[in-house]
Amino acid sequence: MEIGIGLWGMQSTRSAPLPHVTLYRRLADDAQHAEEYGFPSLWLTEHRFWYDGYLPSLLTAGGFIAGATTRLRIGTGCLLLPQHDPLRIAHGVNTLDQVSHGRLDFGVALGYRDQEFDGLGIHRRDRAPRMDHALRILERASRGEAVTDNGAVVTPLPVQPQVPIWVAAVGEHAVRRAARFGFSILLSDAHDDRRAGELVELYHRTAEEHGTDVSNARMGILRYVWVDEAGDAAESTVIPRLRSLLLEQLGGWRYLSDEDGVPLGFETPEKLRRAAEGVIRNNAAIGSPRTGIRRLKNLAASGVDFVVARSHLISQTQPELYRAMELLGTEVAPAVADAGARVGEV
Amino acid sequence: MRFGIGPFSAEAFGNVGWTEAYEVMGQAARVAEESGFDSVWVAERNFTDDGYCPSAFVAAASLAAQTEALKIGVMPILGLAHPLYVAEDAAVIDILSAGRAIIMPINAVAHELAAHAIPESSYDSRFSESVSVLLDAWSARPFSFRGEHWTIPAQLDGHVENRSGMVTVTPKPAQIELPLWIGGFWDYGRRLAAELGLPMVLGAVSDNSLLGDLWGDYDRDAQASGRRPLRVLIRDVYVSNGDDPASECAHMLSRQFERYDSWGLWSGDASDFEALARGRFLIGNPDAVIEQIREIDDRCGLDKLICRMHFPGMPLHQLLRSVRLFSSEVIPEFRMPDLPHQIRQGV
């Protein structure tokens, strides 16, 4: 199992209203530290029209990381593809892969906030067909094939023969679609280990039914991860931060849902709070390196082979973050490197 | 006078592949930063056969990470996709460069409009609406916009979250007023810039004999602003102490103008290099180039000269030689007008 580091959304929140200039200067520092601690990749996250200045332009921020680092892969986790113009994104993807010498991991998600679609004049209900259409264009653009009716070809081509495409998969439908195309998946931090295992199994079953070659596909997941030599210190400092992040952000976005799949917003505070506690108790790896290793090995046993470790929350200081990243990169990651086996190989 | 370097465009040509072309851009920017230039520029074109950079924001963001003081000039095509994408990218690049961005939108050319299935007749109004949206989006206030092409927010059926009828685009640029300069490579762009009182940049497609009239028209239309307009000019520049500097770069420049011709940005015979170069390129040994710049400056009063010094196919060593010679011999003449002649002569 491999561990990438995430997620950077460049938010200046009500509780930590740092200047955006400071946050982006830290992004360059953070990326250089991630490289030094041996992380294979750093992941960015997108939203728009949100009060805290959440990063809306992942490929531009990716160009900045490319200029600040030399080996680190740049992950979009995730770019909300249906909210974009596919030709514009195809140009950005190919350019970023050139600027970074082939270091792009391109993750895409549907997006869910009405307001984001509406600001751009796009129907939210069209997001699934828009996603399919855009993915087809990206695939053609990466191979130098025509992307428009009049035969236009995107140049330059990417450096990588195939820029890895990761699809955020929350529900079974998305997992099946990704499996049919052979894309890698990024499961949600709202999935517990057992659910992650079911979805990985569903992915492989679907791929087999369709005869898709998924030998290069990765089974990824987002997880809140924070390690500290003193396990109780990790819990006492990070859990309140994580709780405030979940309640403040996820309530606004209706990201979590109840057991019936109904999205939870600020208008159902009790349910939202229960869902947030569920994420903290069941889907996070917070504590000593030993705790982190144990929890990530459990996850690996479910067939997940890649974790975007969400150590970058919002209100931690840089020294705190770097200490946690160093422990994660140098002690936890090597200990779980051989954990699990890809389900397809069992 | 201030000096910029670029616009870079990272085409592959001859022995130089795409990836190397982006490396050249970064290396040249780092050298330029220590050589008296104060800005670096990246332009974009889409769907070219040589991979002309199609995403200026992505390439320019990488330059922002590799420099600390250069202004980061970005020349995105406006009016193809939704203008809020450009507004967001521009705000982000201004922040990640700690307030160093200058945004200079340029016009789409025929093959780009065709690929996006946009009728040429609608392009002027798409461009002007996009400029309005950029200014609204960068302001610190919520806004709404209703135009011929775009309505923001759209308030489409079934969207329930936003009932305010307003949108706040975030994050905001680091600069209180993000500089917006209009590429004056087409008639409509020049008029729009004058109308809005925005700086207008003349480029390689306008030869020296036209500069006076074009700026005169702009001044007449812009006079309401009451401020002396910025005079910014892009020129192709090559400096060498060789016997015949033009012969060292002629083939590269001719090719460049063949492409401008094919894109409809310029028309003429690019194979007649002497005719092409006359009154358009700044080429020669340092003294000759000083004289050429002086001639334009005396006539038009330049505030900033953006020097395109890299042409597709030019090896890095040749580029850096020209950049270093320009920076040591030419820039001080204009950037340091009070330079004591004793220092100039090395006493």
Side-chain angles (χ1 to χ4, degrees), chain B residues 193-227:
Chain B
E195 193 182 302
L196 298 175
L198 295 171
M200 180 273 289
V201 180
L202 291 176
V205 294
S206 308
D207 72 44
N208 292 350
S209 69
L210 296 172
L211 301 180
D213 283 349
L214 295 177
W215 268 321
D217 291 348
Y218 174 86
D219 291 354
R220 194 191 57 235
D221 295 343
Q223 58 187 324
S225 78
R227 275 162 72 179

Side-chain angles (χ1 to χ4, degrees), chain A residues 182-199:
Chain A
F183 296 135
S184 296
I185 53 174
L186 269 180
L187 299 169
S188 158
D189 39 40
H191 296 129
D192 61 22
D193 293 5
R194 189 185 51 80
R195 183 64 182 150
E198 290 168 4
L199 293 173

Side-chain angles (χ1 to χ4, degrees), chain A:
Chain A
M1 174 191 267
E2 252 191 327
I3 300 181
I5 192 85
L7 281 172
W8 273 258
M10 317 315 294
Q11 299 155 266
S12 174
T13 60
R14 179 173 170 189
S15 53
L18 291 176
H20 278 103
V21 167
T22 304
L23 295 172
Y24 282 78
R25 193 184 61 229
R26 288 185 183 178
L27 172 63
D29 290 348
D30 296 350
Q32 286 161 359
H33 279 82
E35 195 164 74
E36 186 187 325
Y37 300 143
F39 290 100
S41 51
L42 178 145
W43 294 74
L44 301 166
T45 162
E46 166 175 329
H47 278 292
R48 54 176 40 76
F49 313 141
W50 189 243
Y51 77 96
D52 63 8
Y54 210 113
L55 172 60
S57 303
L58 298 193
L59 299 176
T60 294
F64 180 62
I65 296 173
T69 56
T70 55
R71 302 185 305 277
L72 186 70
R73 294 183 64 81
I74 300 152
T76 61
C78 285
L79 186 139
L80 307 176
L81 191 55
Q83 293 180 8
H84 288 271
D85 177 85
L87 293 177
R88 190 167 195 273
I89 293 297
H91 287 121
V93 163
N94 287 13
T95 303
L96 180 52
D97 206 50
Q98 284 292 343
V99 166
S100 68
H101 298 205
R103 293 190 276 143
L104 176 60
D105 272 311
F106 190 59
V108 297
L110 285 171
Y112 39 84
R113 290 180 60 224
D114 272 7
Q115 199 170 334
E116 297 180 355
F117 289 93
D118 199 70
L120 295 162
I122 296 164
H123 276 288
R124 181 183 192 273
R125 61 173 180 245
D126 293 341
R127 59 187 188 152
R130 285 182 64 93
M131 175 77 110
D132 286 347
H133 173 68
L135 285 172
R136 274 196 299 274
I137 286 189
L138 282 166
E139 211 156 23
R140 299 183 67 82
S142 76
R143 291 199 295 251
E145 297 169 3
V147 291
T148 65
D149 291 344
N150 71 346
V153 172
V154 172
T155 59
L157 298 181
V159 170
Q160 300 177 88
Q162 175 67 61
V163 173
I165 291 180
W166 302 69
V167 177
V170 179
E172 299 192 353
H173 181 70
V175 170
R176 284 202 210 92
R177 277 186 57 258
R180 284 203 304 275
F181 290 101
F183 296 135
S184 296
I185 53 174
L186 269 180
L187 299 169
S188 158
D189 39 40
H191 296 129
D192 61 22
D193 293 5
R194 189 185 51 80
R195 183 64 182 150
E198 290 168 4
L199 293 173
V200 168
E201 206 181 300
L202 174 67
Y203 181 96
H204 287 287
R205 209 166 55 233
T206 311
E208 199 168 318
E209 281 164 22
H210 288 81
T212 316
D213 174 14
V214 293
S215 49
N216 291 322
R218 306 292 302 270
M219 301 295 106
I221 195 166
L222 302 178
R223 273 289 178 266
Y224 292 99
V225 179
W226 186 275
V227 285
D228 190 318
E229 287 102 338
D232 50 344
E235 290 201 22
S236 63
T237 57
V238 172
I239 287 180
R241 261 179 219 155
L242 178 54
R243 182 177 292 126
S244 102
L245 173 80
L246 288 170
L247 293 175
E248 185 175 331
Q249 302 290 311
L250 302 189
W253 302 336
R254 301 165 167 273
Y255 180 70
L256 296 176
S257 39
D258 66 13
E259 44 292 354
D260 302 322
V262 178
L264 299 173
F266 290 133
E267 70 282 1
T268 52
E270 264 317 302
K271 286 184 169 179
L272 185 63
R273 184 169 288 276
R274 274 205 304 280
E277 292 308 317
V279 168
I280 293 168
R281 292 298 151 208
N282 305 321
N283 310 352
I286 294 169
S288 65
R290 261 180 57 197
T291 306
I293 291 167
R294 179 171 48 79
R295 299 204 74 143
L296 292 172
K297 280 186 171 171
N298 280 345
L299 191 55
S302 68
V304 167
D305 62 18
F306 185 79
V307 176
V308 176
R310 299 188 66 170
S311 291
H312 183 254
L313 300 175
I314 283 177
S315 44
Q316 77 282 351
T317 64
Q318 272 183 307
E320 285 173 325
L321 175 65
Y322 295 157
R323 185 67 202 126
M325 280 170 57
E326 184 176 8
L327 277 175
L328 182 61
T330 59
E331 289 190 26
V332 178
V336 300
D338 298 324
R342 296 195 195 182
V343 170
E345 294 165 2
V346 170

Side-chain angles (χ1 to χ4, degrees), chain B residues 102-163:
Chain B
I102 303 173
I103 309 300
M104 189 205 299
I106 59 174
N107 51 309
V109 298
H111 75 262
E112 291 159 345
L113 294 173
H116 283 260
I118 295 168
E120 291 195 31
S121 59
S122 72
Y123 184 65
D124 288 358
S125 63
R126 289 179 74 93
F127 190 92
S128 71
E129 276 189 25
S130 298
V131 168
S132 303
V133 170
L134 293 183
L135 294 170
D136 281 344
W138 297 335
S139 89
R141 300 183 55 77
F143 76 102
S144 62
F145 181 87
R146 185 169 292 276
E148 188 187 331
H149 306 286
W150 290 287
T151 299
I152 305 167
Q155 298 196 286
L156 301 173
D157 292 346
H159 290 173
V160 296
E161 272 176 21
N162 183 7
R163 298 194 183 87

Side-chain angles (χ1 to χ4, degrees), chain B residues 8 23 26 44 54 112 138 153 185 215-216 307 327 343:
Chain B
F8 286 94
E23 282 174 1
E44 72 183 22
E112 291 159 345
W138 297 335
F185 318 142
W215 268 321
C307 304
S327 99
I343 296 177

